[in-house]
Amino acid sequence: MRDKIQTIKTFEKEFNIHFTTDHNGKMSGFASLSTSPMNNTFCINRSKCEGTICQKCYAMRMAKCYSKLDKCLVKNYEVLTSQIIPIEKMPLLNYLAFRFESFGDIQNEIQIINYFNMCLRNKNVQFTIWTKNMGIFTKLFKKGYKGIKYEKPKNLIIIVSSPYINKALKISDYPFADKVFTVYDKQYIEKH
């Protein structure tokens, strides 16, 4: 007997997860799945580091301003970081491109595995994630999780975000990364 096809709506109901499918601004036309930076210990700790872009985190400001948004992001966080959802339970997506974490960041290996499983279920979709938590990816790729080795899905682009303003990371330090994203302030741009 064939498995029931999981759509975004049925997946949202079954797992109490919320997808964002109606972005505007620079994310217009994209769909995404995000978690809350408000209860992500990685995000919280980074926001306290002097000189980091995390001190100016737009996602934390948005979550504080819009409680309904944060409520959805918190639910996503609780589900995606606590249980591995099997590939066959993942929804089939009807998008050319899809972004993971347009608000938060990666907390643990379980969350990455869930995103990998969504990529594997939707091989015709180009997925992208921006992350500052390179250590958790490095750990998963080197050591695996509970005895299982993982590789980056072919349809996932990992963009490493430089944590410090005006200071680009070296992509060569992160063999799993496809690109590096760095924020530069106006003075740096004018000078260089």
Side-chain angles (χ1 to χ4, degrees), residues 134-135 138 142 160 167-177 180:
M134 294 78 70
T138 301
K142 283 187 178 179
V160 173
K167 188 175 179 186
L169 293 174
K170 294 179 185 172
I171 195 165
S172 59
D173 290 343
Y174 306 99
F176 57 84
V180 171

Side-chain angles (χ1 to χ4, degrees), residues 9 25 27 32 54 99 123 174 178 181-183 187 189:
K9 291 294 176 206
M27 289 286 295
S32 67
C54 299
R99 180 172 174 178
K123 294 183 181 186
Y174 306 99
D178 298 287
F181 174 80
T182 307
V183 174
Q187 293 81 12
I189 293 168

Side-chain angles (χ1 to χ4, degrees), residues 1 3 30 32 34-35 41 50 52 57 59 63 67 78 117 133 139-140 145-146 155 167 171-172 178 188 191:
M1 186 173 172
D3 287 336
F30 283 86
S32 67
S34 298
T35 58
T41 55
E50 193 64 38
T52 63
C57 181
S67 59
E78 290 169 352
N117 285 348
N133 197 350
K139 181 180 172 188
L140 180 66
Y145 181 75
K146 293 191 175 185
N155 58 333
K167 188 175 179 186
I171 195 165
S172 59
D178 298 287
Y188 185 94
K191 187 177 178 182

Side-chain angles (χ1 to χ4, degrees), residues 127-145:
F127 292 89
T128 306
I129 186 165
W130 274 253
T131 185
K132 291 175 192 69
N133 197 350
M134 294 78 70
I136 201 77
F137 278 94
T138 301
K139 181 180 172 188
L140 180 66
F141 291 135
K142 283 187 178 179
K143 297 183 179 181
Y145 181 75

Side-chain angles (χ1 to χ4, degrees), residues 51-81:
T52 63
I53 192 66
C54 299
Q55 283 191 307
K56 302 170 188 284
C57 181
Y58 76 93
M60 286 224 190
R61 284 195 313 271
M62 294 285 285
K64 287 176 185 174
C65 288
Y66 301 100
S67 59
K68 187 176 176 184
L69 167 66
D70 192 51
K71 185 177 178 183
C72 292
L73 296 175
V74 167
K75 285 180 187 176
N76 289 355
Y77 176 89
E78 290 169 352
V79 173
L80 292 167
T81 63

